[in-house]
Structure formats: C-alpha cells, structure tokens
Amino acid sequence: MGIVEDIQLISESVHKTLDLMAFNEKLGKDFEDFIKRFEIQISTQKELTQIMFFYLFESRMHTGMSPFNYLKDEKLLDEKICDAFADSFTSIFQVTKIKQNSLCVNSLVNEKEYELTTLSKTSNFRGLGQKDYIEARVIKFNDTYFVLDILTVIPSSKCFIALSNGISHLVKNPKKIYWDNKEKFKEFEEISDVMTKSFVKCTGSHCTITSNKLADGLLQHFNFYHHNLLPEGDKLENWLTDNYSLEYADIEKLKSESVSDNTFDNLAGGFSAHKADYNVGYWVDDELGIFIIPNLGTFFEIFKNENHKIKNWKECVVEFLNLDKIPLSVIEEAFKINKGALEIFNEATGEKIESKEQLTTQYKPDYLSGKRFSPTLVLYNSKLFQDIFDEIDRIESKQNIELQAKTVGRNEPCPCGSGKKYKNCCGK
C-alpha cells in the first residue's frame, strides 16, 4: 500500500471506530460509564467527538484494556490499525518546515525529529508557521508517521506555554519520553539505577515518609547529597518527622486553592505551599526510580489498621488504584502489609475482584506491559525541564533589560551587554 491508500485506511478506520462506539453495546456502555465516572458535561457534537477521541486514545476500559485492543480482539477493526492507534503518541512539536502534505517537526517530549504526514493538505492549517508549536496526536503506520489530530496551535512567541504543556505530558505519562526512542529508554535505565541506589544510601530506606512541610527540603537535601554538594549543617534529620498527619488530603483540591500553584506544584516539591497538613512519601522502586507520593503514609496505614479508621479512606484507596503515577510496587506492598488486602480494595471500589492478578491487570496495566519510570526521574533528567528554566531566565533577563532601558538613552550601550547601542540592539 502507498501513502494515499494508508491515509484512506486511517481516515476510514477513525470514522468506523466512532460509529462502533454508538453501535457496539460493550464499548458504548463503557464509554457511558467513563462519562459518568468523571462527571463530564457535553453540550455540542464537537465536544462529544473530542471526548470520544480522548476516551479512545488516552484512557482504558474498566477491564484495564485499551479500547483498540478490545476492537482488535473482537475483530471489529483491522489488527494493524488497532495496534497503531493503541500506540498513538500525543506531544508538543515545534514546526521546522511545512511541506505540501507533511510537517517537519521536533518533538519536545521525546527529543526526536519527525516528518509527519497529514491526512489533508497542510494548506488547511492556515496561520501555522515555522517555529510555531502544535499539540498533536501521531501514529506510526507502515513506517510512516501520520498526524491524526492537531489539538492546539501555539505561536512561536508563546514558547513558555509550549514548554509547560510538554512538561504536563511528561508528568501525566512519563513513558512518552522514550516513545519511539530506544536510546532514551536505555539512558533512563542507567539513570534510574544510579539515582535509586543514591537515594537509599542517603536516607537508609526504600520508603521515607515525612510531613508535607518538610518534603521539599528532603528533596533538596537529596539533590545536594547526590551531587556531593551538601552544605554544612544540612542533615537528613532536619527533614524527617514522625509527627505527620494521616488524614487523607485531596491534592487536586489543594492545588486549586494554592496561591502558588503552577506547572511544577506537587510534582516533586511545592508541598509546603499548602496550608493543610498531610504526609508525603518518597518511594524507591529499584527499577523505575523515586516516586514522590502524597498520602503514602495514609495509604499504608489503611492496610495496617484492620478497621481502616481513617476519614475518607475509600477515596484514598481508589485514588491510588486509578492514578497511573502510583507504581504497581506500592499496590503490591499493601498485600505484604495485609494478607486480606484484596477485601479492602473491593470494599473501597465496590467491585468483586477475585485475585491480586486481576486487580493489577485492571488498574496497573502500564506497569505490567513494560517499564514506566517515575515522573520525577523522567522530568529532572529531560531536556525539556532544563529548557523551561532557560526560558524563565530569558524572560526575566528581558524584563530586567526593559526595566533598565527606561533610564538608558537610545545611543547609549545596550543593558544586555552586547556592546551595541541600545537602538541597534534590544531597542529595535
């Protein structure tokens, strides 16, 4: 098959899949449950289509299976197309060249360059220019990369927004950094091994729980320790306490209420900005890295305490099952703490899961299908993370120059230090 035939097959398969969501009873029922579970409000056909795409490409059915793997197993859609759709990749791309039927781009997330074939002529993307950014869903089919959907266009002048959105992608799905990038995967395997051993040596434990008020300091302490830059007097015990709250904290609600909320808040720090008192755990998974998990002490206490005497304990258990950033090893630890853990999970979810294997298959499939390194490990070792701080420095420097320029004459040396006159440099 040629490119034209592939485009036709992909387009037809997208439309067929949307039709199947309306006429296939199991898929349709699962989609309805998805809408109810997340309390999604839909008022227009465009919104319905957008939610359908999100459900198909970004979520799982309640069984833990990708909707496209279900369609493949039921032989409702071409097997090869299903595999390509299930492995789709959503990223922030910077456009480097625009051709008649394709876009040459650089992915900010997995740090690779691509030529993306569009399903329609690029003349349809009016206003899109070189150096602009797009948030796009891409699939690889017959060794060609196709744009399924352009979700957002970000002008080149909004670099900080593009970088922030790229970081959001990494936080939500760390596996994206090594999608289609084997070299990057090997690199993170090596980094993970070094950092996990260093953290255990620093703290003396695979599980360190402290108050949210001290959690940021603990991370900074480890960072200094790891790079042999530990200041005199900065001791581990400064950042540890047994006096932390076991009350479940709704982190999303706290983030929305926080006056200092930003892209990085509650990722690997920023916990001390919250007025509420709760616990934060540093969990070391030997293969996947260091996970920073709010309410980790609460979660483990639920399984230690036979009566689960913790307010909103069910919400805590369900959250730990549903959050992709909670690794499988944490769930397995609950079974080590309490032999009757499955009963606690079932009571919290209202389900009747029959085994630990069924539970993990349904709720943690990404950890069973391959390595999913911790968001902290991925983010702090990504080019994207460094780029956004460079951009912050650039913005602050520009603001300082503009401030200084108010007192500088046009014929005087430019405050940026270039040696040129202000009128021929930043004052243009």
Side-chain angles (χ1 to χ4, degrees):
M1 294 179 68
I3 295 291
V4 175
E5 290 78 13
D6 285 345
I7 290 173
Q8 184 176 355
L9 177 59
I10 292 169
S11 299
E12 289 175 352
S13 298
V14 169
H15 291 299
K16 185 177 180 179
T17 302
L18 295 176
D19 288 340
L20 284 168
M21 290 184 66
F23 297 108
N24 181 271
E25 184 176 350
K26 188 171 182 178
L27 194 63
K29 175 66 166 57
D30 196 83
F31 178 60
E32 289 179 8
D33 291 342
F34 170 81
I35 292 175
K36 291 177 183 176
R37 184 164 71 252
F38 293 101
E39 300 179 350
I40 298 171
Q41 301 296 321
I42 301 172
S43 56
T44 66
Q45 182 61 43
K46 182 179 180 180
E47 288 178 357
L48 175 61
T49 302
Q50 289 174 337
I51 295 301
M52 283 181 166
F53 262 78
F54 182 85
Y55 167 79
L56 289 166
F57 290 96
E58 304 289 342
S59 69
R60 303 187 301 265
M61 300 177 72
H62 75 279
T63 57
M65 179 182 289
S66 159
F68 290 112
N69 286 335
Y70 165 74
L71 293 173
K72 181 175 72 172
D73 289 350
E74 295 295 316
K75 302 187 185 308
L76 295 171
L77 202 65
D78 177 83
E79 180 176 341
K80 197 172 179 181
I81 282 286
C82 284
D83 288 339
F85 282 170
D87 191 41
S88 67
F89 174 62
T90 307
S91 177
I92 305 296
F93 301 90
Q94 184 170 33
V95 178
T96 56
K97 189 175 183 179
I98 301 174
K99 298 183 179 180
Q100 185 175 1
N101 295 304
S102 65
L103 301 171
C104 295
V105 298
N106 175 49
S107 169
L108 302 189
V109 174
N110 72 334
E111 303 170 19
K112 285 192 67 174
E113 295 181 353
Y114 295 94
E115 181 169 348
L116 307 178
T117 299
T118 57
L119 300 183
S120 60
K121 289 188 176 182
T122 54
S123 57
N124 291 336
F125 307 130
R126 291 178 180 175
L128 181 64
Q130 288 186 30
K131 296 189 178 181
D132 285 344
Y133 301 89
I134 58 172
E135 182 178 22
R137 182 175 290 111
V138 171
I139 66 166
K140 184 179 181 181
F141 187 70
N142 286 338
D143 295 323
T144 300
Y145 297 91
F146 294 90
V147 178
L148 277 181
D149 189 18
I150 292 184
L151 307 173
T152 313
V153 175
I154 304 170
S156 58
S157 59
K158 304 293 184 181
C159 176
F160 182 79
I161 293 176
L163 293 170
S164 297
N165 288 355
I167 282 178
S168 295
H169 277 279
L170 279 184
V171 173
K172 291 174 184 176
N173 187 356
K175 291 177 74 172
K176 287 187 176 184
I177 200 165
Y178 44 88
W179 183 87
D180 192 44
N181 195 335
K182 293 180 180 178
E183 292 78 14
K184 197 53 114 174
F185 181 83
K186 291 178 181 178
E187 178 185 324
F188 274 99
E189 280 190 314
E190 295 172 0
I191 293 170
S192 176
D193 183 60
V194 172
M195 288 195 71
T196 51
K197 287 178 179 177
S198 179
F199 191 86
V200 172
K201 189 175 180 181
C202 172
T203 62
S205 176
H206 278 70
C207 181
T208 304
I209 298 172
T210 191
S211 161
N212 66 301
K213 303 302 182 185
L214 300 176
D216 301 340
L218 177 57
L219 179 64
Q220 186 179 55
H221 173 85
F222 167 66
N223 189 48
F224 285 141
Y225 173 89
H226 184 64
H227 293 97
N228 295 314
L229 296 172
L230 205 58
E232 186 177 350
D234 188 354
K235 300 178 181 179
L236 177 64
E237 51 263 35
N238 294 345
W239 312 110
L240 299 180
T241 180
D242 292 329
N243 186 27
Y244 50 74
S245 172
L246 285 173
E247 185 173 343
Y248 168 69
D250 186 335
I251 301 302
E252 289 303 315
K253 185 178 179 181
L254 290 176
K255 283 165 59 177
S256 66
E257 294 173 351
S258 174
V259 294
S260 64
D261 184 43
N262 57 52
T263 304
F264 310 107
D265 195 28
N266 292 318
L267 167 66
F271 303 109
S272 59
H274 298 154
K275 294 180 180 179
D277 290 320
Y278 58 94
N279 62 84
V280 176
Y282 283 74
W283 177 261
V284 177
D285 186 304
D286 287 333
E287 293 189 349
L288 305 179
I290 305 160
F291 290 81
I292 306 176
I293 307 173
N295 298 306
L296 184 64
T298 305
F299 178 76
F300 286 152
E301 186 66 23
I302 289 167
F303 290 88
K304 293 176 185 176
N305 188 329
E306 292 181 1
N307 297 317
H308 334 308
K309 291 181 180 178
I310 290 178
K311 187 179 179 180
N312 298 325
W313 72 269
K314 289 184 179 180
E315 286 86 342
C316 181
V317 172
V318 170
E319 180 180 273
F320 270 60
L321 285 173
N322 285 322
L323 283 178
D324 287 336
K325 61 185 177 184
I326 305 296
L328 176 59
S329 53
V330 167
I331 305 303
E332 291 176 332
E333 185 69 15
F335 283 89
K336 294 177 183 177
I337 293 171
N338 190 326
K339 292 181 180 179
L342 188 61
E343 295 177 12
I344 297 175
F345 282 117
N346 278 334
E347 187 178 349
T349 61
E351 298 188 65
K352 295 181 180 179
I353 294 173
E354 298 179 355
S355 66
K356 181 179 79 171
E357 289 70 28
Q358 183 184 346
L359 180 81
T360 55
T361 298
Q362 179 168 327
Y363 286 100
K364 301 296 176 184
D366 279 354
Y367 290 94
L368 294 170
S369 61
K371 287 188 175 181
R372 181 190 173 102
F373 295 108
S374 78
T376 305
L377 179 78
V378 166
L379 192 59
Y380 276 85
N381 292 282
S382 68
K383 182 177 181 297
L384 189 56
F385 194 62
Q386 183 59 54
D387 285 348
I388 197 165
F389 280 107
D390 290 344
E391 179 64 12
I392 290 171
D393 288 342
R394 188 193 68 79
I395 292 171
E396 290 179 347
S397 176
K398 183 180 179 182
Q399 290 173 341
N400 288 334
I401 290 171
E402 289 174 349
L403 188 63
Q404 294 176 46
K406 291 181 179 180
T407 60
V408 173
R410 288 183 54 78
N411 290 311
E412 292 181 28
C414 185
C416 75
S418 66
K420 298 179 181 179
K421 291 183 179 180
Y422 175 66
K423 67 180 181 182
N424 296 323
C425 191
C426 295
K428 283 184 177 182

